Amino acid sequence: MMALPRWIGLGVFAAVATLGFVGWGEPVTAPNPLIEKMQGGLAALDADENHKSADSGTLAWGEATVLTTFYWMYEATGDTAWLDRIRQRADVIFSNLSPGDELQPGWRTTRYSVAIVEAVADGGNTSRATIKPDPARISDIETAHKVTGHDYELRVTPAGAIEATDKTTGEQLGVVDMPEDGHIKQIPGVVLFVEGELQAGDRFIVRTQAPKPMEYIVHDGMILTPIAKFCAAVLSGERLTAMYGDAARRYLHVMETQLIPKWEPYWHDVPDGMGVYAFQNDPAQRFPGASLPHNQYLALARTHIALYRITGKALYRGRAERMARFFKRNLRLVGSHYEWNYWDYAGPWDEEARRMAHVEDTSHGHIDIGFVVDAYDAGIVFDREDMEHFARTVSDAMWNGSEDKPRVGARVDRSDGDKVIAFDWLHLGRFSPQTRRIMMGMLDSLGSLGGANVGAAAQALAVERLDWSPEPRHTASAGQPRQ
């Protein structure tokens, strides 16, 4: 059996609660090795400025780590300095909302959008040859971001060469001999294929659409969940409401009236009390109209749970229950542990998901697990037996078996991959002493903690305060705030 890390059971909460973490000017000393490892990582998160970005990808995959870590540091310590930090950052984040195509506020990114290419023949061409984009929708991220969004003209010279001009800027892109393989590559990011035999004087217009700023449900869920949990903690008692109530009510109003309702057109009810969100049916989306991968709809489902705990509204609970049932339907019980895919088929609109049904990876899986834990604590769909199956996913399928350097695999069905579990996987230690030892052993084996690992450590401190209790946390908030 794995050796117990020396700091487990030493009264972690008592040690951390004396520290305050209010400023970074003086070194913090404590007998707890975990606390010492966190100092540099916490300071780095505090200095991080991702919250100033309006790019939804930066906010979701960078700033959300900061907000979540600070929330769990509040849960671990009761120190309202962490709530101060969340409010300061959330004020900036909400100030950077801007209206999109349908005048709804949001955060956007071009990071995952496709580029689109269209080629048409000029009406006066002599030949019947055609030029077609290869492909017309460019989903490779690096290639798509070379596409300019300009219009171009291709002309066949008397010598049979191809002359390209950027019609948007007037720039001449040069003349190249007709390629033997029929592929024309003069336009940035674009490949065109000639079908038939071109004649001198033939002209074609090529129209391109650069990656479009798009909104994503998963990004909203990642950004809003820690803010919604902040609101739940603040509005659960008079003292915190007096300190932060105005900010919490302001965030809550924007979430309830603007950010959550705008996704309702993309909701699908699925038979047997299930449901799932889909991508916008926009050509710029990589999978227009398809149901979201599990981690993406579950990210917003976590926000629904937090909003339900604040408001008690049936809509939020109902959406979370339907998504939980859909996810649970797609779990596979292998022996005594669960395995599942990154993406599963929900309906006839989902043919693309059939091709993408590979086993879930450890990184995206932390969002799935975070939702499952939140749902269990709120009394939604998942029971104690389910949680024990998830805990054994770590111990039975993912763990490398090492006591000295415990690691987990890159996917939820294997141990190869040398990963350090981060963030919400940590909570599965509530349901299995062995899984807890694996989690804590990974943190204990690292020289210092930063990024997602300092966030995992913050969660470890908060869960240790509750003695790793497996009982559901049926409280007014997702945590157990102190008044």
Side-chain angles (χ1 to χ4, degrees):
M1 181 175 290
M2 177 182 290
L4 192 70
R6 57 196 174 99
W7 46 268
I8 297 180
L10 294 178
V12 172
F13 175 67
V16 74
T18 65
L19 300 179
F21 290 92
V22 175
W24 305 104
E26 298 179 1
V28 177
T29 59
N32 190 314
L34 181 60
I35 302 299
E36 297 168 3
K37 289 182 178 184
M38 295 174 68
Q39 297 308 299
L42 287 170
L45 293 184
D46 197 42
D48 179 274
E49 295 190 343
N50 279 334
H51 63 293
K52 296 180 180 179
S53 174
D55 183 275
S56 66
T58 299
L59 292 172
W61 308 124
E63 177 59 22
T65 296
V66 181
L67 294 173
T68 302
T69 300
F70 289 175
Y71 172 79
W72 285 109
M73 287 305 298
Y74 165 71
E75 285 286 331
T77 66
D79 189 337
T80 58
W82 299 109
L83 299 182
D84 290 335
R85 285 174 165 81
I86 294 174
R87 178 178 60 183
Q88 291 162 4
R89 301 176 82 94
D91 280 349
V92 176
I93 291 167
F94 275 78
S95 73
N96 281 330
L97 285 166
S98 61
D101 291 343
E102 300 178 7
L103 301 181
Q104 296 174 320
W107 305 281
R108 296 165 195 83
T109 187
T110 64
R111 190 178 303 186
Y112 310 103
S113 307
V114 304
I116 299 173
V117 185
E118 176 189 20
V120 296
D122 183 78
N125 285 1
T126 302
S127 77
R128 302 178 68 178
T130 61
I131 291 180
K132 296 182 178 180
D134 185 22
R137 298 179 74 251
I138 303 171
S139 58
D140 178 79
I141 293 175
E142 183 177 353
T143 303
H145 282 80
K146 296 177 182 177
V147 176
T148 61
H150 296 179
D151 289 348
Y152 298 87
E153 179 185 86
L154 299 179
R155 185 179 69 87
V156 183
T157 70
I162 304 294
E163 179 183 64
T165 303
D166 185 329
K167 290 178 64 67
T168 301
T169 66
E171 177 186 2
Q172 299 295 314
L173 301 184
V175 179
V176 298
D177 293 336
M178 179 69 68
E180 292 184 4
D181 65 359
H183 286 91
I184 300 170
K185 302 178 181 179
Q186 289 160 281
I187 298 172
V190 174
V191 177
L192 302 162
F193 181 69
V194 178
E195 292 185 339
E197 187 173 344
L198 296 172
Q199 299 292 325
D202 284 353
R203 294 197 314 157
F204 297 84
I205 302 300
V206 180
R207 300 183 178 93
T208 70
Q209 178 180 302
K212 175 183 175 182
M214 299 291 296
E215 296 181 61
Y216 294 89
I217 281 177
V218 62
H219 292 173
D220 276 15
M222 295 299 292
I223 297 162
L224 295 178
T225 293
I227 295 175
K229 289 186 175 184
F230 163 89
C231 295
V234 165
L235 298 175
S236 65
E238 293 182 1
R239 185 175 74 90
L240 293 182
T241 299
M243 297 172 67
Y244 305 102
D246 288 346
R249 284 187 287 266
R250 186 170 70 251
Y251 307 150
L252 184 61
H253 176 76
V254 174
M255 285 189 277
E256 286 208 273
T257 62
Q258 300 178 45
L259 298 180
I260 300 299
K262 74 180 175 185
W263 296 117
E264 285 305 292
Y266 310 106
W267 173 260
H268 286 287
D269 282 319
V270 180
D272 301 322
M274 299 181 292
V276 66
Y277 282 102
F279 288 104
Q280 301 101 308
N281 197 11
D282 187 307
Q285 283 282 8
R286 296 171 67 80
F287 307 104
S291 298
L292 296 176
H294 294 302
N295 80 90
Q296 296 196 26
Y297 69 82
L298 292 179
L300 193 67
R302 300 188 73 181
T303 309
H304 280 82
I305 291 175
L307 293 177
Y308 166 68
R309 288 191 142 176
I310 298 168
T311 68
K313 292 181 179 178
L315 172 65
Y316 300 132
R317 183 183 178 97
R319 286 285 185 262
E321 285 182 347
R322 283 181 168 270
M323 287 184 273
R325 292 191 192 106
F326 180 67
F327 182 58
K328 186 170 181 177
R329 185 192 74 177
N330 287 289
L331 298 172
R332 300 184 294 275
L333 185 60
V334 180
S336 59
H337 70 272
Y338 279 141
E339 295 177 3
W340 63 97
N341 291 337
Y342 170 79
W343 202 357
D344 280 295
Y345 181 89
W349 57 88
D350 273 345
E351 289 306 316
E352 188 66 33
R354 293 186 187 275
R355 185 175 65 83
M356 298 291 288
H358 54 73
V359 174
E360 179 66 286
D361 63 86
T362 302
S363 178
H364 290 107
H366 97 81
I367 304 172
D368 308 337
I369 294 300
F371 167 75
V372 167
V373 172
D374 286 352
Y376 170 78
D377 282 337
I380 294 173
V381 175
F382 297 99
D383 59 21
R384 177 74 173 273
E385 184 179 23
D386 289 318
M387 304 313 293
E388 290 172 355
H389 290 323
F390 282 114
R392 283 194 287 267
T393 297
V394 176
S395 61
D396 295 2
M398 300 174 71
W399 178 37
N400 66 358
S402 172
E403 296 185 359
D404 297 328
K405 188 181 178 181
R407 296 290 186 269
V408 294
R411 298 192 182 277
V412 302
D413 65 342
R414 66 198 66 177
S415 59
D416 57 305
D418 197 37
K419 297 286 185 180
V420 175
I421 271 184
F423 258 46
D424 297 289
W425 287 99
L426 186 285
H427 290 268
L428 295 179
R430 292 167 52 191
F431 308 100
S432 162
Q434 184 181 22
T435 300
R436 186 186 320 160
R437 286 191 292 269
I438 294 168
M439 301 291 183
M440 297 303 101
M442 283 191 282
L443 293 178
D444 196 49
S445 70
L446 298 174
S448 61
L449 298 172
N453 289 323
V454 77
Q459 295 190 56
L461 296 174
V463 178
E464 168 73 8
R465 182 180 64 80
L466 299 177
D467 297 323
W468 296 92
S469 171
E471 296 303 314
R473 301 172 71 187
H474 295 297
T475 61
S477 78
Q480 186 76 26
R482 289 145 299 281
Q483 296 298 314

